[in-house]
Amino acid sequence: MIIVVKKEARENQIDILTRWLEGQGIRVGRTEGNNQAILGLVGNTKSIDEEFISQFEIVESVRRVSEKFKRANRKFHPEDAVIDCNGVKIGGGHFAIIAGPCSVESEAQINEVAKAVQASGATLLRGGAFKPRTSPYDFQGMKGQGLELLEIAKAATGMPLVTEIMNADHLPLFENVDVLQIGARNMQNFELLKAVGRTNKVVLLKRGLANTLNELLMSAEYIMSEGNPNVIFCERGIRTFETYTRNTLDLSAVTALKEMSHLPVVVDPSHATGKANMVEPMAMAAAAAGADGLMIEVHNDPAHALCDGPQSLTPAQFDRVVKRVMAIREAVKATE
Amino acid sequence: MIIVVKKEARENQIDILTRWLEGQGIRVGRTEGNNQAILGLVGNTKSIDEEFISQFEIVESVRRVSEKFKRANRKFHPEDAVIDCNGVKIGGGHFAIIAGPCSVESEAQINEVAKAVQASGATLLRGGAFKPRTSPYDFQGMKGQGLELLEIAKAATGMPLVTEIMNADHLPLFENVDVLQIGARNMQNFELLKAVGRTNKVVLLKRGLANTLNELLMSAEYIMSEGNPNVIFCERGIRTFETYTRNTLDLSAVTALKEMSHLPVVVDPSHATGKANMVEPMAMAAAAAGADGLMIEVHNDPAHALCDGPQSLTPAQFDRVVKRVMAIREAVKATE
Amino acid sequence: MIIVVKKEARENQIDILTRWLEGQGIRVGRTEGNNQAILGLVGNTKSIDEEFISQFEIVESVRRVSEKFKRANRKFHPEDAVIDCNGVKIGGGHFAIIAGPCSVESEAQINEVAKAVQASGATLLRGGAFKPRTSPYDFQGMKGQGLELLEIAKAATGMPLVTEIMNADHLPLFENVDVLQIGARNMQNFELLKAVGRTNKVVLLKRGLANTLNELLMSAEYIMSEGNPNVIFCERGIRTFETYTRNTLDLSAVTALKEMSHLPVVVDPSHATGKANMVEPMAMAAAAAGADGLMIEVHNDPAHALCDGPQSLTPAQFDRVVKRVMAIREAVKATE
Amino acid sequence: MIIVVKKEARENQIDILTRWLEGQGIRVGRTEGNNQAILGLVGNTKSIDEEFISQFEIVESVRRVSEKFKRANRKFHPEDAVIDCNGVKIGGGHFAIIAGPCSVESEAQINEVAKAVQASGATLLRGGAFKPRTSPYDFQGMKGQGLELLEIAKAATGMPLVTEIMNADHLPLFENVDVLQIGARNMQNFELLKAVGRTNKVVLLKRGLANTLNELLMSAEYIMSEGNPNVIFCERGIRTFETYTRNTLDLSAVTALKEMSHLPVVVDPSHATGKANMVEPMAMAAAAAGADGLMIEVHNDPAHALCDGPQSLTPAQFDRVVKRVMAIREAVKATE
């Protein structure tokens, strides 16, 4: 249920209504529209009488929502969200390039890569410390130590950090991380979604291997319904019958998500294709399709990377990708 | 790496070898073969010199394993595993029928269903207390209170309990639960797998929506490599392009898993099809294909169930299914 | 549009109505219901005035059909169809076992296999003469010569023949073939469907690699709307992300198709799994699920078969499969 | 088997070798490399002795090909193919825009659309005359009459025609058609592929609903092994679990196909997405990914189109798409 509050309403009047609703066991989220507040009611709203609510002097309109999701829904938030990642903005025309190695491997490695990608135009640094791996016998990341090395690279470059969290109990370790990544395998780990929803950190939510766009939107809703509005979607390829590429990049998801939601969408061509030579054309295609950013794996020595070497770019290759992507962005904007 | 120990080896000799290996940072798992111990080495075994190990007097043979999984692998455990669920066995010829409602809704409901399914031949009671739902606004289960109601039904019937766990922090609440279910969406929630792997409870591991059999085996390996050998697989349908059924039941997975692993495989025709009228033929087909058990949703009033009503059987329908499944089982055994 | 004719209607009255409808450019199909005729109107029925038709003395009722398919629809033909394949019946309780090699390779081979499978209980002989192969450089079958060898085996055993047709221009060569198989790749080759629909031969219609059940029903409708009611469905596995098996056998399709259509459904476990050791359990499962028959590849020397050797059974393996399947059939019938 | 002929070889010498090979039951295809001929041997080459062939004075080298396809393989034809569609080139830097209605509906409609799309920059005219439809009761196209109307539009505009052929027997009707389209459902209709392979018309080969890139390449090989080298690939979306779009556009296929084959690749964003509002971003993305052309549905009155209205653009929308695509093309070329 959505309550649109009149422009002239005073804060204490809104408070009274909010507290009354909460007394009915309803959670109330508040969004600022064009100079007026919009209250989104979450919970069993069946018991709330629309006519009764309409009687409140400050209420402009009430409507029951047949939409399955609310906070992530563009219908209730027509303007693009602009997500601030500790100074770097994504969405609403702000294009972000997230780059770095699949895994943090050493201080020298992460520093070298961070400086190289920053020089080429990356604005956020990625690097895996906790790594989800199909096999328990594969390298699982440097964990806490990896986070410390990321912080050193952040201090050296000033780039905000993006890294994956797999366990809510690890949250205290992520204090200096700017963007919490939820990996594809955890897209429907609802307990983890709720936990990051109770923080105020930006969450980069990757689409699951075989999850529909509707399910992705609902997972964003899990995070947002806990109070955290800072969600960024990431399309990273879906699982299909085709085996030539690691996954099948679904670029129509960019258009679809931006139609249904006001949240930004970034594209990860590295995991989507699993092949370094496909990163450039798919990054360019993502920019042409209207993505709000890219996430690209870069390694100073792909042949010896501890994970995902075959899909990592060298810094030189990455530099070329950024230039070409920026040219595409210009063409997109020039013809809007 | 696998070390086969000579039959005549004494325990203290095996201990010395084990402790030496552990000193090298290797975890050592022990399986009892035909009157002789087999040691499975987990960790970075690249540094272990095979020739050096062969020098130990008690070592019969050493081999590097190209197999990606070890503890769940039939090659290293040729006989069927028989998993004891607090008195009810599954595997190695023991067929188990797990039945109950999708969600626990009330004491009357769970007691009524429990007694009914027991009378028809069910040997384990299922019921959801913590429910993973696509939407944060859907019924999320009765949670801790639901577990208490399950315990009441267990006390009344003596049936061991099977119920889903979504968060390792909830483990203390599951003390009286006999089988921890890992749901399809958490099949690659590796942190949760490791947490249940550190318990000694039986784990029912459901196949993910779009996970390969190889990935399912590796997830079992995550649990087992933490020390818990009590894993049961559950095929519950995979996501395909077909929309007539909720999922596509992959019965060839039963044969495939039993070929690759010694662990038991149960089939859930309720979630696989999403349609009550398909549960009977698919349950019969699963029995014919050699499954070790079934998991079936039964509700005393499917039309008013709080979740998954359309796929729940009435107790009378369930009774008929059990009779027909048992007739199939007899035909399978009579012609072996 | 469906016209139910009164029981007391005389043939010449029905003729008059039929001819009038045909004069409007409508094709009229006739089905015999419980002692009364049902006319199914195919074509642009929008121009037909229901009220006008209702005025005919012999018309009991008229209704516009929202169903997308008519002739293959169980709603208009509640009893199971029994398809007569030159003396061997399939459907309505008649279970058929179709067996033989993937490809006809020589007179000795096809005769030896035919006699062996007949001795074990097969009632129809299959064998590929025209083979659809992914590569133009792979063995394409013995073509016309292969059909001649099949005819020799038919003469020797009396078994009706099932073999694939890929080109309507080949129809004259198939005069002595009893069941025309439409392969998975041609399930939506609508021109071929219409061509076999203009014959009076039984058509075995295989489900396409990625075709929904609804599309399969519509393809049957293509055949039947040309006048040929003798269609048998064949589930042979669908293409999914799983690569362990060649395809994923969808046994729920058996139940679904028999619910939506009155036509028989056979299952091909050989192509569905691509693995000989899976044929037995999947054949048993298909029988338990209520299939009307099986199609199984048998070769006297699988290791040297010119195609699909890994999925072919030896005659001895086939003999065991038939025995076990028959035991399952007994259990199914005994508990109905 | 591939035979590279020495540069100094005379034609009559090549003829002698070719005739000898043909006498062995081998078909010989000839490709012109850098000033020297390359012979591709098709058929059972196992019986051909490499050493014997090497003895021929004109033979530079012989090698057995492990490649599964030859004529469509970039390894044997490193330069991009440029396909001439009656004066309009595709491939090797030539970008083609194919546009027109899903179905030809009337002379006025096809003329109006043809002139509009030509004015916006389209260089080839598409329009369906024979339409493959899932249901036999849906509009099947104007057939022969539709072809005549297309010819009128071609005469009026000079645009070469692209239209689908479903039956080899219809070939005489397609005499004035410049590009024969093989639809997705017929991608593995091998008999039709061979038939169009025996013509010298350009063939636009659409990827099947669930066909791998390898299978698509093999289908091109079917056409080319009959002697027709003029094949253009068309990516038009694949079938996945996602239902928001009609299909899932696989743009990585563009990069993959151009890596494996020298043949041009065009993209059909209309069928891939099934939504008019997605055509623009996906057309731009395809251009950014390096496609050699686009095929776009345009209708003068999408709301009343006899088929596929929801995915058709108006001429005004199409005009904007072409402008934006051309800007992307410029950006791609400027940064190469």
Side-chain angles (χ1 to χ4, degrees):
Chain A
M1 191 180 269
I2 297 289
I3 301 175
V4 181
V5 177
K6 288 181 183 157
K7 287 183 190 177
E8 57 271 26
R10 290 191 312 275
E11 271 310 305
N12 70 327
Q13 292 178 302
I14 299 177
D15 273 3
I16 289 165
L17 175 57
T18 301
R19 264 179 283 129
W20 181 82
L21 287 163
E22 289 172 349
Q24 310 298 309
I26 303 293
R27 268 191 297 143
V28 181
R30 179 168 167 174
T31 312
E32 296 306 318
N34 297 318
N35 305 317
Q36 69 194 120
I38 295 168
L39 305 182
L41 279 50
V42 178
N44 184 6
T45 59
K46 285 176 196 156
S47 60
I48 304 296
D49 183 343
E50 279 164 87
E51 285 201 43
F52 177 78
I53 298 291
S54 308
Q55 304 297 314
F56 279 76
E57 195 191 328
I58 60 164
V59 170
E60 186 174 295
S61 65
V62 185
R63 60 168 164 150
R64 293 215 176 264
V65 182
S66 59
E67 296 295 321
K68 288 190 168 173
F69 61 107
K70 299 171 192 177
R71 295 177 184 230
N73 198 327
R74 189 177 278 277
K75 286 195 189 153
F76 310 127
H77 198 308
E79 300 118 63
D80 286 347
V82 178
I83 308 291
D84 188 322
C85 308
N86 198 10
V88 175
K89 290 176 179 166
I90 305 189
H94 301 273
F95 191 81
I97 298 183
I98 308 166
C102 176
S103 292
V104 179
E105 296 170 18
S106 71
E107 186 175 335
Q109 174 239 23
I110 190 69
N111 272 328
E112 185 179 331
V113 175
K115 283 171 190 163
V117 297
Q118 188 175 41
S120 295
T123 47
L124 293 112
L125 177 64
R126 62 149 290 154
F130 291 88
K131 300 294 306 172
R133 303 301 298 272
T134 302
S135 167
Y137 309 128
D138 286 344
F139 174 58
Q140 309 271 319
M142 293 182 75
K143 303 181 181 173
Q145 198 190 342
L147 294 178
E148 287 167 23
L149 299 182
L150 281 170
E151 289 170 29
I152 291 170
K154 175 181 174 178
T157 60
M159 296 170 88
L161 298 178
V162 182
T163 193
E164 178 162 356
I165 185 163
M166 294 169 64
N167 186 331
D169 294 346
H170 298 162
L171 269 170
L173 295 171
F174 284 68
E175 205 183 317
N176 288 315
V177 170
D178 305 284
V179 180
L180 301 174
Q181 177 180 315
I182 302 291
R185 292 168 189 78
N186 278 322
M187 193 202 93
Q188 292 194 310
N189 177 347
F190 301 122
E191 294 288 314
L192 182 59
L193 298 179
K194 287 191 284 187
V196 299
R198 288 187 292 265
T199 73
N200 60 0
K201 288 190 179 294
V202 177
V203 180
L204 182 83
L205 178 63
K206 293 193 122 185
R207 183 180 184 184
L209 288 175
N211 285 111
T212 62
L213 296 175
N214 181 57
E215 289 168 345
L216 178 57
L217 290 162
M218 297 312 294
S219 285
E221 197 78 10
Y222 259 100
I223 297 166
M224 297 172 90
S225 69
E226 295 291 331
N228 185 348
N230 301 307
V231 178
I232 301 166
F233 294 116
C234 181
E235 160 65 28
R236 42 76 75 208
I238 57 174
R239 185 165 271 185
T240 70
F241 62 85
E242 178 61 71
T243 56
Y244 187 80
T245 42
R246 183 165 166 176
N247 296 288
T248 297
L249 179 60
D250 176 12
L251 279 180
S252 61
V254 175
T255 308
L257 287 170
K258 292 181 75 69
E259 186 175 87
M260 293 189 277
S261 177
H262 60 296
L263 299 172
V265 183
V266 305
V267 170
D268 175 349
S270 304
H271 285 87
T273 64
K275 301 196 166 188
N277 71 315
M278 287 192 167
V279 171
E280 182 178 300
M282 291 305 106
M284 292 165 76
D292 297 294
L294 293 166
M295 181 146 84
I296 295 178
E297 283 189 10
V298 179
H299 197 281
N300 48 346
D301 183 9
H304 295 96
L306 287 182
C307 82
D308 286 347
Q311 74 196 31
S312 290
L313 300 188
T314 61
Q317 289 169 326
F318 175 72
D319 190 68
R320 177 181 151 100
V321 170
V322 175
K323 282 193 178 56
R324 300 197 81 186
V325 163
M326 289 308 164
I328 297 283
R329 289 271 304 156
E330 287 309 311
V332 169
K333 279 188 280 184
T335 55
E336 248 165 8
Chain B
M1 192 181 267
I2 296 289
I3 301 175
V4 181
V5 177
K6 288 182 183 158
K7 288 185 190 174
E8 58 271 24
R10 290 192 313 276
E11 272 309 306
N12 70 326
Q13 291 177 302
I14 299 177
D15 273 4
I16 290 165
L17 175 56
T18 300
R19 264 180 283 130
W20 180 84
L21 288 163
E22 288 171 350
Q24 309 298 307
I26 303 293
R27 270 193 294 143
V28 181
R30 179 169 167 174
T31 312
E32 295 305 320
N34 297 317
N35 306 317
Q36 70 194 117
I38 295 168
L39 305 181
L41 278 51
V42 178
N44 184 6
T45 57
K46 284 176 195 155
S47 61
I48 305 296
D49 182 345
E50 280 165 84
E51 284 202 42
F52 177 78
I53 299 292
S54 308
Q55 305 298 315
F56 279 77
E57 195 192 326
I58 61 166
V59 170
E60 185 172 297
S61 65
V62 185
R63 60 170 164 147
R64 295 217 175 260
V65 182
S66 59
E67 296 296 320
K68 288 191 168 172
F69 61 109
K70 298 170 191 179
R71 297 181 182 227
N73 198 326
R74 190 178 279 277
K75 286 196 190 155
F76 310 126
H77 198 310
E79 299 117 64
D80 285 348
V82 179
I83 307 290
D84 188 323
C85 308
N86 199 8
V88 175
K89 289 175 180 165
I90 304 190
H94 301 273
F95 191 82
I97 298 183
I98 308 165
C102 176
S103 290
V104 179
E105 296 170 15
S106 71
E107 185 174 336
Q109 174 239 23
I110 190 68
N111 272 328
E112 186 179 329
V113 175
K115 283 171 191 164
V117 297
Q118 188 175 42
S120 295
T123 47
L124 293 112
L125 178 64
R126 63 149 288 152
F130 292 89
K131 299 294 304 171
R133 304 301 299 271
T134 302
S135 168
Y137 309 129
D138 286 344
F139 175 58
Q140 309 271 320
M142 294 182 75
K143 301 179 183 175
Q145 199 189 340
L147 292 179
E148 287 166 22
L149 299 182
L150 280 171
E151 288 171 28
I152 292 170
K154 175 181 174 177
T157 60
M159 296 169 89
L161 298 177
V162 182
T163 194
E164 178 162 355
I165 185 163
M166 293 169 65
N167 187 331
D169 293 346
H170 298 162
L171 269 170
L173 296 171
F174 284 69
E175 205 183 318
N176 289 315
V177 170
D178 305 285
V179 180
L180 301 174
Q181 178 180 314
I182 300 293
R185 290 168 190 79
N186 279 321
M187 193 202 93
Q188 291 194 311
N189 177 346
F190 301 122
E191 294 288 314
L192 182 58
L193 298 180
K194 287 191 282 188
V196 300
R198 288 188 291 265
T199 73
N200 59 0
K201 289 191 180 292
V202 177
V203 180
L204 183 82
L205 178 63
K206 294 191 122 186
R207 184 180 182 183
L209 288 175
N211 284 110
T212 62
L213 297 176
N214 180 56
E215 288 168 345
L216 178 57
L217 291 162
M218 296 313 293
S219 286
E221 196 78 10
Y222 259 101
I223 298 167
M224 298 172 88
S225 69
E226 295 291 331
N228 184 349
N230 301 307
V231 178
I232 300 168
F233 293 116
C234 181
E235 161 63 30
R236 43 76 74 205
I238 56 174
R239 186 163 271 184
T240 70
F241 62 84
E242 179 60 73
T243 56
Y244 188 80
T245 43
R246 184 165 166 175
N247 295 288
T248 297
L249 178 61
D250 176 11
L251 280 180
S252 61
V254 175
T255 308
L257 287 170
K258 292 180 75 68
E259 186 175 87
M260 292 189 277
S261 177
H262 60 295
L263 298 172
V265 184
V266 306
V267 170
D268 175 349
S270 305
H271 285 86
T273 64
K275 302 197 165 187
N277 72 316
M278 286 193 168
V279 171
E280 182 177 298
M282 291 305 107
M284 294 165 74
D292 297 293
L294 293 165
M295 181 146 84
I296 294 178
E297 282 190 11
V298 180
H299 197 281
N300 49 346
D301 183 9
H304 296 96
L306 288 181
C307 85
D308 286 347
Q311 75 196 30
S312 290
L313 300 188
T314 62
Q317 290 169 326
F318 176 71
D319 190 68
R320 175 180 151 100
V321 170
V322 175
K323 282 192 178 57
R324 300 197 82 188
V325 163
M326 288 308 165
I328 297 284
R329 288 272 303 157
E330 288 308 312
V332 169
K333 279 188 280 184
T335 54
E336 249 165 8
Chain C
M1 193 181 267
I2 297 289
I3 301 174
V4 181
V5 177
K6 288 182 183 158
K7 287 185 190 174
E8 57 272 27
R10 290 191 312 276
E11 272 308 308
N12 70 328
Q13 292 178 302
I14 300 177
D15 272 3
I16 290 165
L17 176 56
T18 301
R19 263 179 283 130
W20 181 84
L21 288 163
E22 289 172 349
Q24 309 298 307
I26 303 292
R27 271 193 294 143
V28 181
R30 180 169 167 173
T31 312
E32 295 306 317
N34 297 318
N35 307 317
Q36 70 193 119
I38 296 169
L39 305 181
L41 279 51
V42 178
N44 184 7
T45 58
K46 284 175 196 156
S47 60
I48 305 296
D49 182 343
E50 280 164 85
E51 285 202 44
F52 177 78
I53 299 291
S54 308
Q55 306 296 315
F56 279 76
E57 197 192 325
I58 59 164
V59 170
E60 186 172 296
S61 65
V62 184
R63 60 170 163 147
R64 293 215 176 264
V65 181
S66 60
E67 296 295 321
K68 288 192 169 171
F69 61 108
K70 299 172 190 176
R71 298 182 182 227
N73 199 326
R74 189 177 279 279
K75 285 196 190 153
F76 310 127
H77 197 310
E79 299 119 62
D80 285 348
V82 178
I83 308 291
D84 188 324
C85 308
N86 198 8
V88 175
K89 290 176 180 167
I90 305 190
H94 301 274
F95 191 82
I97 298 183
I98 308 165
C102 177
S103 291
V104 179
E105 296 170 15
S106 69
E107 185 175 336
Q109 174 239 24
I110 190 68
N111 272 329
E112 185 179 330
V113 175
K115 284 171 191 162
V117 297
Q118 187 175 41
S120 295
T123 47
L124 294 112
L125 178 64
R126 63 149 288 155
F130 291 88
K131 300 294 305 171
R133 304 301 298 271
T134 301
S135 167
Y137 309 129
D138 286 344
F139 174 58
Q140 309 271 321
M142 294 182 75
K143 304 181 180 174
Q145 198 190 343
L147 293 178
E148 286 166 25
L149 298 183
L150 281 169
E151 289 170 29
I152 291 170
K154 175 181 172 177
T157 59
M159 297 170 87
L161 297 178
V162 182
T163 193
E164 178 162 356
I165 184 163
M166 293 169 65
N167 186 330
D169 294 345
H170 298 162
L171 269 171
L173 295 172
F174 284 68
E175 205 183 318
N176 288 316
V177 169
D178 305 284
V179 180
L180 300 174
Q181 177 180 315
I182 301 291
R185 290 169 190 79
N186 278 322
M187 193 202 94
Q188 291 195 312
N189 178 346
F190 302 123
E191 295 287 314
L192 182 59
L193 298 179
K194 287 191 284 188
V196 299
R198 288 187 292 264
T199 73
N200 60 0
K201 288 191 180 292
V202 177
V203 179
L204 183 83
L205 179 63
K206 294 193 121 184
R207 183 180 185 185
L209 287 175
N211 285 109
T212 63
L213 297 176
N214 180 57
E215 288 168 345
L216 178 57
L217 290 162
M218 296 313 294
S219 286
E221 197 77 10
Y222 259 100
I223 297 166
M224 297 172 88
S225 69
E226 295 291 332
N228 184 348
N230 302 306
V231 178
I232 301 167
F233 292 117
C234 181
E235 161 64 29
R236 44 75 76 207
I238 56 175
R239 185 164 271 185
T240 70
F241 62 85
E242 179 62 71
T243 55
Y244 187 80
T245 41
R246 182 165 167 175
N247 296 289
T248 297
L249 179 61
D250 177 10
L251 280 180
S252 61
V254 175
T255 308
L257 287 170
K258 293 181 74 70
E259 188 175 88
M260 292 189 277
S261 177
H262 59 296
L263 298 173
V265 184
V266 305
V267 170
D268 174 349
S270 304
H271 284 87
T273 64
K275 300 195 166 189
N277 72 317
M278 287 192 167
V279 171
E280 181 177 299
M282 291 306 105
M284 293 165 75
D292 297 295
L294 292 166
M295 180 146 84
I296 294 178
E297 283 189 10
V298 180
H299 197 281
N300 48 347
D301 183 9
H304 295 96
L306 287 182
C307 83
D308 285 347
Q311 75 196 28
S312 290
L313 300 188
T314 61
Q317 289 169 327
F318 175 71
D319 190 67
R320 176 181 150 99
V321 170
V322 175
K323 283 191 176 56
R324 301 197 81 187
V325 164
M326 289 308 165
I328 297 284
R329 288 272 305 157
E330 287 308 312
V332 169
K333 279 188 280 185
T335 55
E336 249 164 8
Chain D
M1 192 180 270
I2 297 288
I3 301 175
V4 181
V5 176
K6 289 183 183 156
K7 287 184 191 176
E8 58 270 27
R10 291 192 311 275
E11 272 307 308
N12 71 326
Q13 292 178 302
I14 299 177
D15 273 3
I16 290 165
L17 175 57
T18 300
R19 263 179 282 130
W20 181 82
L21 288 163
E22 288 172 350
Q24 309 297 309
I26 303 294
R27 267 192 296 143
V28 181
R30 179 168 168 174
T31 312
E32 295 305 318
N34 297 316
N35 305 317
Q36 70 195 115
I38 296 169
L39 305 181
L41 278 51
V42 177
N44 185 7
T45 57
K46 284 176 195 154
S47 60
I48 305 296
D49 182 344
E50 280 163 87
E51 284 201 44
F52 177 77
I53 298 292
S54 307
Q55 305 298 314
F56 279 76
E57 196 191 327
I58 61 165
V59 171
E60 184 172 298
S61 65
V62 184
R63 60 169 163 150
R64 294 215 175 262
V65 182
S66 59
E67 296 296 321
K68 289 191 168 173
F69 61 108
K70 298 171 191 177
R71 296 180 183 230
N73 198 325
R74 190 177 279 276
K75 285 194 191 157
F76 309 126
H77 197 311
E79 300 118 63
D80 285 348
V82 178
I83 307 291
D84 188 323
C85 308
N86 198 9
V88 175
K89 289 176 180 166
I90 305 189
H94 300 273
F95 191 81
I97 298 183
I98 308 166
C102 176
S103 291
V104 179
E105 296 171 15
S106 70
E107 185 174 337
Q109 174 240 22
I110 190 67
N111 272 328
E112 186 179 331
V113 175
K115 284 170 189 163
V117 298
Q118 187 174 41
S120 294
T123 46
L124 293 111
L125 177 64
R126 62 149 288 154
F130 292 88
K131 299 295 304 172
R133 303 302 297 272
T134 302
S135 167
Y137 309 129
D138 285 345
F139 175 57
Q140 309 272 319
M142 293 182 76
K143 303 181 181 174
Q145 198 189 344
L147 292 178
E148 287 166 23
L149 299 182
L150 281 170
E151 289 171 27
I152 292 170
K154 175 180 172 177
T157 59
M159 296 170 89
L161 298 177
V162 182
T163 193
E164 178 163 355
I165 185 163
M166 294 169 65
N167 187 330
D169 294 345
H170 298 162
L171 269 170
L173 296 171
F174 284 68
E175 204 182 320
N176 288 316
V177 170
D178 305 284
V179 180
L180 301 174
Q181 177 179 314
I182 301 292
R185 292 168 189 79
N186 279 321
M187 193 201 93
Q188 291 194 313
N189 177 347
F190 301 123
E191 294 288 315
L192 182 59
L193 299 179
K194 287 191 284 188
V196 298
R198 289 188 291 264
T199 73
N200 59 359
K201 288 191 180 292
V202 177
V203 180
L204 183 83
L205 178 63
K206 293 193 122 186
R207 184 180 182 183
L209 288 174
N211 284 111
T212 61
L213 297 176
N214 181 57
E215 288 168 345
L216 178 57
L217 291 163
M218 296 313 295
S219 287
E221 196 77 11
Y222 259 102
I223 297 166
M224 297 172 88
S225 68
E226 295 291 331
N228 184 349
N230 301 307
V231 178
I232 300 167
F233 293 117
C234 181
E235 161 62 31
R236 42 77 73 207
I238 56 174
R239 185 164 270 184
T240 69
F241 62 85
E242 179 61 71
T243 56
Y244 187 80
T245 42
R246 182 165 167 177
N247 296 288
T248 297
L249 178 61
D250 176 12
L251 279 180
S252 61
V254 175
T255 308
L257 287 170
K258 292 181 76 67
E259 188 175 86
M260 292 188 278
S261 177
H262 60 295
L263 298 172
V265 183
V266 305
V267 170
D268 175 349
S270 305
H271 284 87
T273 64
K275 301 194 165 188
N277 73 316
M278 286 192 168
V279 171
E280 181 177 301
M282 291 306 106
M284 293 165 76
D292 297 295
L294 293 166
M295 180 145 85
I296 294 179
E297 282 190 11
V298 180
H299 197 280
N300 49 345
D301 183 9
H304 295 96
L306 288 182
C307 83
D308 286 348
Q311 75 196 30
S312 289
L313 300 188
T314 62
Q317 289 169 328
F318 175 71
D319 190 67
R320 176 181 150 99
V321 170
V322 174
K323 282 191 178 57
R324 301 197 82 188
V325 163
M326 289 308 164
I328 297 284
R329 288 272 304 158
E330 288 308 312
V332 168
K333 279 187 280 184
T335 56
E336 250 165 8

